[in-house]
Structures are given as C-alpha cells and as structure tokens.
C-alpha cells in the first residue's frame, strides 16, 4: 500500500488536481512505502497470555483440571500472573501426584472449575493465548467451558512447540519438548509440571523464539500465524506434478530422477491427497525431502479402498521405497515354532511352512517374540536347550531341571508321552482354547500384586498380553486361510456395491457394480479373471494383507455374498481375555497421559521463510526495513527496554 506523504481534504491526489487559473502546476508529491506497522498488528503491541494446566489425565473426556497457571506479557514486560488450584471433583491418581506433586488433599478445598473459569477468561480477555502443546491445554479449557455453559472466546492462539519446530534445527535441540527448550533459551524458571512455573518457562521460550523472527522479517501477529503455514518455494514449485492425477480411490507413487519409487501411498481421492504434499498441510520432514527429489507422480486408480490398500502393501513390499516406513519388510516378521521332534522346543523363525509344526505369531520385533517365549516358559516346563534330544540317549540335566522349570527329558526323567502332554497345552491354546495356558500366569500376576511386587507383576502382565495378542492374531489368520474363496460386498455410497473376491486370505479380484447393473454378472466376470492361488491350506498372502481384508469384512454394512468352505473362528478363542487386554491397553495409556502424539521433532534443515512467501511479505523496495524488537535472553528486568528500543536481534 502506498500513501501520500501529506494530503488535503480532497480525495483526489494532489498531483491530479487541476491548478488554479494562472498558477503554476503543483509539483508531484512523492509516495512513500507504508511501514510494517500499517500492514499488521506489531508483535511489540500484542498482549500474550501464556497458560499451562495440570490435569488428572491426558484427555478432557475422562480427566479434569487440577491447576491453572498463566502469565500475561506485552512488549517483553510481565503485566500479571494467574494461578489457582482447581478441585477436579475426583481423586487425583497416584501417578499424577508423583508427576506434579498435586495430591487430593491439596485440591480438596480448592474452588471448582465453574468458579475459576470466569476469572481466568477475564484475565485473558483480548489477549493471544500461548501454550506449549496448545491442543492439550486449550482442549481442556474448551471442554471446561462446554461443561459449565461458558462461551469460549474467539481468541487467537500460538503453539510454542510448533513455532520451535519451524525455527530451530536438530543441531540446536534434539526435540521441541519444554524441558529441552527451557535450558536452551536460558529460562529463569525450570519446568517442573506445576502450572505457573511451566507458564513462566514458556514465556522465556516464547521470547527466545521471537528473537529468531527479526532476521526472517516476521514482525506482526498476522505474519506469525502465517509462518507455520508457509510452503517452501521448492515444494510449492512442484504442484504441477499433481496435474494429471485423477480423482477417486487408488495408489500414488512418487518417482525419483531414475524412475525409482520414492514413496507409495493410497487415498480415496488421489488428486486431493497428492496435491496436499505441495501445501502447508504436509509438515513431515521426510516428505519435504521426498518431494524435492520427486520428478513425477504415477497414479494407479482402483475399484475401491480395499484394492487400493492391498496394492499399496504389495508395491511397498516389492520396491521398498526409501521414504516408506511401514510394511517395507514383511519377510522380517518373526514367528514362534514348536519343533517337530520327540521333545519339541520353541524356536524363532522368519518363515511359516505348511505342515512344518505349530506356528505362533507373527511378532513385530524380536523383543515381542522373546516376551511371548518367556510367558510360555513361565507357564509350561518346555525344554529350553537347543540340542536335538533322543529318547534313547540320556545326558546330564541343566539347572532348569533343578529349579522345576523343565521336566528333564534329556536325563530320562520325562517320557515322550509325558512331555507330549505338556506341549499339548500350547497346541490347544493356539488351536482354540488358551485358558489352560494363560490362567496360571494371570493367577501369578494376582499373587505378585498381593505381595506388593508390582514391578514383577507388571513385567509378567505385559508378557501375557503379548502372548494373548499373538494367539488371537494367529487364530484370526487361520480362520480366513482355511477358506478357499469368499466373495464380499460393501455399499459404495452411491447405490452400488464394491465387490472383492478373496482366496485363502488374498485379494484376487476387485470391482464395482454401479447402481442399476447386475451384481451377479459383475461377480461372474471378476471370478473368471481372478488370480489363482496355491491350494496348500496356508495363507496365500502376507499377514498385513490378510488383516486388511479381515478389517474390511468386519466393517458395518459388509455382506458375505458367497463362501466356499467354512468361515468360522476358533471356540472359545481369546474372547474371554478381551477385558484383560483392555485393562493392559488402558494402563499403557496412563503411563504417559500427557504424551504429545504430534510429530514435532526438529529438522536437520528447517524450511525457512522465503521473501516471496505471504508470511514474509516485508516492505517493498525503497521502504524502511524494520524488525521486531524482541527481548534478549537475559533477566526479565531488561525486557521492557528491549521491546521499546529500536534495532533488531540478529
């Protein structure tokens, strides 16, 4: 925007007004560039309220606020502080008391949230809310407003965790946690999981981050909000790669300079998903690097979402793109095998061969396989030695026999029939009934807990959970692997049907029967052109693909059109242990209820604000250059002078 240096009451610029009769023409009035203060709200004049909460858990759905702390700052000067304990209306969990130091007795006489909330909202009225992990703190405040019937004010917000990821590199800090950023910016207060102290530390982090904005030309509140939304020019310049991508479900492949697959993904709307990689919505650092290398995008349209997901798995397993993390190496999955010999033992293998013994799994890593093995050995006295034993040759026994952890078949203390009865418990557990295997382990967990040996009980509980999940997974896979063919149909949302033909757990054909067409005729074509699978009784696909098919089958509205063979789950199965698994999952979530699941790790080379970007729209050539006068990383007393002084922090 350009404004005249001086003006008259007329709306017509002075150099365009007609001169009076006989008067000399008026000289042109030079135009000057408007300052940055005319184009936005200067940061030096913005009031920020930095807030931090302590709660009884990680979700506002089942947790409540126990403490609110806030600091109001403007121009580097602290204007006020707000702190109060809050009665959550329930007991404070012990692990929260250990983490925060706030006990049930401390909040017993504190005011309830309906009395505290109006005072806080009045304290923060007209200010920009700032929090470290803002979705957590603001989420609890919004939930409290909804519960008490208090209107939530339309206030702008700033997340210092997101801002730090934008401005700091991995060479400076390894992550964007408050405990990491506070000492880096020499905060005067150390975060300690108390609301006011954490808010004070966040103020210092905010000031330290603001010092980084001056060299980038970010001096207004509007530019601050646009900073995290700006797209790197290199990424933005490749938007043309999405021009030829169609809409609808399918798979997309980013290919590099040598036509090598860089990344494989899937979407129900290919065009929209591919275009998102060139926008500010994609913040994953490895995707930014991938897009910079990509030369073209190959699209593979599919009949429906199941076919797209299966094709994605197969392409990732075949090409192993460097920027895909999931499902790149399905062949690395681990299984527990009960060997076929007179005295069988457990061994860890990577391949499942039909008629080669009992297999349990798969396990994602060796640690999970070892946990399941330890649970089985805890329940059953199976031998743990690796040598092949003969019932006719006796050898010396090991220490496990003396400890009662092994029947001693090597020394002739256990016959083949007696040992087979022990192994039969494991076979029965995998085949359908794990109660005889799991019940003694759960009883031991209860005994350890009653004896206050909680660490030992927790270790054994986790081992049992891994074992039960493996048994459940194996039984589900076996139920579909035993079916020679099953035809599945799901409504496509437009009056038609999405059809899939599955043989031994493998998707062999997929198609759609639009509204008004014959489903039977479409199925006949699909089955005639379907892929042929080996008929050896085992899975014809990878575990991931079979589980994709099973999840698609279990969605509401799915119909089984035709089934060849028997599709049934083992009985009684692991259904009776669902409550145990749910409690284990709930306990795992409570171990770190405040975990920020967003990918906020720092980058090796953060995207910087480009001069052409909207967030960096500084003065035009010839105009004055200004910078935000942020506070130095020193004492609070120096900040008021720093904010009012001229110059920049470089």
């Amino acid at each position: 925007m350009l404004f005249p240096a001086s003006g008259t009451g007329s709306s017509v610029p002075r150099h365009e007004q007609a001169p009076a009769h006989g008067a000399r023409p008026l000289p042109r009035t030079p135009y000057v560039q408007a300052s940055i203060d005319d184009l936005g709200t200067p940061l030096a004049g913005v009031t920020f309220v930095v807030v931090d909460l302590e709660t009884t858990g990680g979700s506002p759905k089942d947790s409540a606020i126990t403490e609110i702390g806030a600091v109001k700052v403007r121009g580097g000067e602290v204007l006020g502080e707000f702190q109060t304990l809050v009665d959550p209306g329930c007991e404070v969990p012990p692990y929260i008391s250990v983490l925060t130091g706030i006990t049930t007795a401390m909040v017993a006489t504190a005011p309830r949230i309906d009395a505290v909330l109006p005072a806080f909202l009045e304290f923060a009225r007209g200010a920009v809310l700032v929090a470290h992990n803002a979705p957590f703190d603001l989420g609890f405040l919004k939930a409290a407003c909804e519960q008490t019937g208090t209107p939530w004010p339309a206030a702008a917000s700033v997340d210092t965790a997101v801002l730090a990821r934008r401005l700091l590199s991995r060479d400076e800090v390894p992550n964007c946690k408050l405990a990491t950023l506070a000492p880096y910016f020499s905060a005067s207060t150390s975060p300690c999981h108390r609301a006011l102290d954490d808010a004070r530390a966040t103020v210092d982090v905010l000031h330290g981050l603001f010092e980084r904005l001056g060299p980038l030309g970010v001096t207004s509140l509007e530019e601050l909000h646009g900073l995290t939304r700006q797209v790197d020019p290199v990424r933005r310049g490749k938007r043309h790669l999405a021009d030829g991508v169609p809409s609808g479900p399918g798979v997309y492949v980013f290919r590099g300079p040598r036509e090598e697959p860089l990344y494989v993904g899937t979407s129900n709307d290919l065009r929209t998903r591919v275009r998102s990689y060139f926008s500010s919505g994609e913040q994953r650092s490895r995707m930014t690097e991938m897009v910079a290398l990509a030369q073209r995008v190959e699209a593979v349209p599919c009949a429906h979402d199941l076919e797209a997901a299966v094709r994605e798995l197969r392409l990732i397993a075949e090409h192993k793109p460097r920027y895909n993390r999931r499902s790149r190496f399905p062949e690395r999955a681990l299984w527990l095998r009960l060997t076929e010999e007179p005295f069988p033992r457990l061994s860890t293998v990577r391949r499942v061969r039909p008629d080669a013994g009992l297999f349990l799994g798969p396990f994602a890593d060796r640690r999970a396989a070892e946990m399941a093995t330890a649970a089985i050995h805890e329940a059953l006295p199976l031998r743990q030695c690796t040598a092949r034993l003969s019932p006719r040759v006796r050898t010396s026994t090991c220490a496990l026999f003396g400890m009662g952890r092994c029947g001693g078949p090597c020394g002739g203390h256990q016959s083949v029939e007696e040992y087979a009865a022990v192994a039969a418990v494991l076979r029965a557990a995998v085949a359908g009934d794990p109660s005889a295997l799991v019940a003694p382990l759960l009883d031991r967990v209860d005994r350890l807990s009653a004896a206050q040996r909680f660490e030992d009980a927790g270790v054994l509980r986790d081992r049992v959970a891994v074992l039960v999940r493996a048994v459940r997974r194996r039984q589900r896979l076996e139920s579909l692997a035993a079916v020679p063919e099953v035809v599945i149909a799901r409504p496509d949302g437009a009056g038609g049907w999405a059809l899939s033909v599955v043989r031994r757990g493998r998707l062999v054909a997929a198609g759609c029967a639009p509204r008004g067409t014959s489903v039977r005729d479409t199925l006949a074509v699909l089955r005639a052109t379907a892929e042929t699978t080996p008929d050896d009784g085992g899975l014809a696909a990878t575990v991931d693909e079979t589980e994709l098919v099973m999840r698609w089958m279990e969605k509401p509205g799915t119909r089984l059109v035709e089934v060849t063979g028997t599709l049934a789950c083992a009985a009684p199965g692991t259904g009776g242990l669902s409550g145990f698994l749910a409690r284990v999952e709930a306990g795992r979530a409570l171990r770190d209820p405040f975990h920020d699941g967003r990918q906020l790790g720092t980058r090796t080379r953060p995207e910087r604000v480009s001069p052409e970007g909207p967030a960096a729209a500084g003065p035009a050539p010839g105009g004055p250059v200004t910078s935000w006068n942020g506070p130095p990383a020193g004492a609070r007393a120096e900040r008021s002078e720093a904010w009012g002084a001229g110059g920049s922090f470089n």
Side-chain angles (χ1 to χ4, degrees):
M1 294 176 62
L2 298 176
F3 299 94
S6 61
T8 65
S10 172
S11 60
V12 182
R14 294 181 63 185
H15 72 277
E16 295 184 4
Q17 297 178 12
H21 179 69
R24 298 179 59 187
L26 294 175
R28 285 179 175 267
T29 301
Y31 284 85
V32 297
Q33 172 69 39
S35 67
I36 197 68
D37 295 345
D38 298 322
L39 301 177
T41 307
L43 290 176
V46 177
T47 301
F48 296 95
V49 170
V50 182
V51 61
D52 186 83
L53 305 180
E54 300 303 330
T55 65
T56 60
S59 172
K61 296 180 180 179
D62 54 11
S63 305
I65 299 173
T66 58
E67 186 180 26
I68 301 178
V71 181
K72 182 184 291 186
V73 294
R74 183 176 62 238
E77 182 179 358
V78 176
L79 304 180
E81 293 183 340
F82 181 97
Q83 189 275 335
T84 180
L85 291 171
V86 181
D87 181 7
C90 60
E91 292 188 0
V92 179
Y95 68 93
I96 295 293
S97 298
V98 172
L99 181 67
T100 66
I102 300 175
T103 63
T104 303
M106 293 173 60
V107 299
T109 58
R112 298 296 296 268
I113 188 63
D114 54 356
V116 172
L117 200 56
F120 169 76
L121 295 179
E122 178 63 26
F123 177 79
R125 186 174 62 175
V128 176
L129 295 177
V130 180
H132 199 79
N133 187 12
F136 175 84
D137 299 284
L138 300 189
F140 267 92
L141 290 173
K142 291 178 181 179
C145 286
E146 183 178 353
Q147 293 170 2
T148 59
T150 305
W152 175 256
S157 63
V158 174
D159 192 337
T160 49
V162 175
L163 190 59
R165 185 174 186 264
R166 182 67 165 152
L167 297 174
L168 301 176
S169 68
R170 193 172 300 164
D171 293 335
E172 296 172 298
V173 289
N175 55 61
C176 296
K177 297 180 180 179
L178 183 60
T180 302
L181 298 178
Y184 177 77
F185 287 114
S186 302
S188 58
T189 304
S190 298
C192 59
H193 287 292
R194 290 302 299 268
L196 185 57
D197 286 340
D198 287 5
R200 288 169 174 168
T202 306
V203 168
D204 293 332
V205 171
L206 178 69
H207 290 161
L209 293 172
F210 275 5
E211 293 179 15
R212 302 294 188 96
L213 299 179
L216 300 179
V218 178
T219 60
S220 68
L221 180 62
E222 291 76 11
E223 291 174 327
L224 178 63
H225 284 301
L227 178 64
T228 57
R229 296 192 297 266
Q230 188 184 359
V231 184
D232 182 80
V234 176
R235 183 147 53 109
R236 186 174 61 244
K238 292 199 171 185
R239 288 179 295 184
H240 66 278
L241 297 181
D243 291 345
V245 177
S247 300
V251 179
Y252 56 90
V253 183
F254 281 87
R255 294 192 176 272
R258 296 183 298 275
E259 285 296 304
E260 74 277 13
L262 299 175
Y263 182 79
V264 178
T266 183
S267 175
N268 286 329
D269 189 339
L270 285 172
R271 183 173 180 81
T272 301
R273 182 67 184 101
V274 172
R275 287 172 64 91
S276 70
Y277 284 90
F278 312 108
S279 67
S280 60
E282 181 55 72
Q283 291 293 325
R284 292 175 292 177
S285 57
R286 75 179 192 281
M287 292 296 101
T288 300
E289 181 180 339
M290 183 275 295
V291 171
L293 294 174
Q295 298 300 312
R296 71 181 184 93
V297 178
E298 177 184 344
V300 183
C302 298
H304 46 68
D305 56 343
L306 176 60
E307 182 189 6
V310 169
R311 285 186 180 274
E312 178 194 27
L313 283 176
R314 295 177 183 177
L315 287 172
I316 292 175
E318 177 183 358
H319 298 289
K320 298 177 173 39
R322 57 183 296 190
Y323 291 100
N324 280 96
R325 292 180 176 177
R326 181 178 57 89
S327 306
R328 289 179 63 192
F329 302 100
E331 66 275 5
R332 294 183 181 178
L334 296 174
W335 300 76
L336 291 183
R337 174 177 176 250
L338 188 64
T339 58
E340 290 290 314
E341 52 183 314
F343 301 106
R345 62 180 179 87
L346 291 176
S347 64
T348 304
V349 297
R350 294 194 182 275
R351 294 182 58 189
V352 175
R353 300 190 306 274
D355 302 326
L358 177 71
F359 289 88
L360 177 62
F363 300 93
D365 50 42
R366 188 166 294 276
R367 179 175 178 272
E370 291 174 350
M371 292 177 67
T373 303
I376 294 173
H377 286 152
E378 186 80 20
L380 301 176
L382 293 175
R383 69 183 184 95
Q384 301 181 34
C385 51
T386 58
R388 188 176 182 87
L389 300 182
S390 172
R392 294 186 298 272
V393 179
R394 297 184 179 184
T395 60
S396 59
T397 58
C398 63
L400 292 176
F401 172 71
M403 297 167 58
R405 302 289 299 274
C406 177
C410 54
H413 301 282
Q414 196 173 29
S415 65
V416 174
E417 293 75 16
E418 294 171 338
Y419 192 91
V422 175
V425 176
L426 178 58
R427 299 182 188 275
V430 177
D433 187 5
S435 57
L437 176 65
V438 176
L441 297 175
L442 296 181
D443 291 340
R444 178 166 171 76
V445 171
D446 294 337
R447 292 196 303 271
L448 292 173
S449 299
Q452 297 186 357
R453 295 172 57 184
F454 301 115
E455 291 81 3
D456 294 337
V459 170
L460 181 57
R461 176 205 60 198
D462 292 343
R463 289 175 177 175
V464 176
V466 172
L467 174 61
V468 172
R469 291 193 199 98
V471 172
R472 170 175 290 186
R473 195 177 186 187
R474 183 59 178 166
Q475 290 177 355
R476 284 168 52 85
L477 294 172
E478 287 287 349
S479 66
L480 196 56
V483 180
E485 182 178 284
V486 57
V487 179
I488 317 165
R490 279 187 52 78
D492 63 359
W497 293 91
L499 306 174
S500 299
V501 180
V502 179
R503 293 173 180 169
R504 304 243 178 235
R506 182 180 181 86
L507 180 67
V508 295
C512 287
R515 182 178 183 179
T517 60
S518 172
V519 176
R520 292 294 178 181
D521 292 344
T522 305
L523 278 178
V525 174
L526 290 178
R527 298 176 70 175
T529 58
E531 178 184 354
T532 302
T533 58
D535 191 12
D536 55 6
L539 273 179
T542 63
V543 171
D544 289 339
E545 178 176 336
T546 303
E547 290 180 332
L548 270 178
V549 172
M550 298 191 72
R551 287 195 293 269
W552 205 71
M553 291 173 58
E554 294 166 351
K555 288 182 179 180
T558 302
R559 298 187 182 184
L560 298 180
V561 181
E562 293 183 11
V563 178
T564 302
T566 303
L567 178 60
C569 296
T574 58
L577 298 169
S578 298
F580 164 72
L581 292 178
R583 292 192 298 271
V584 173
E585 289 298 326
R588 178 178 290 105
L590 293 177
R591 294 175 188 175
D592 189 3
F594 310 110
H595 173 66
D596 187 358
R598 299 175 296 171
Q599 296 184 353
L600 293 177
T602 49
R603 306 177 181 181
T604 304
R605 295 179 58 188
E607 297 177 21
R608 296 304 185 186
V609 182
S610 61
E612 298 82 3
V625 179
T626 61
S627 297
W628 172 77
N629 302 313
R636 290 177 180 266
E638 301 176 0
R639 289 200 173 100
S640 58
E641 298 180 5
W643 280 69
S648 61
F649 292 90
N650 294 321

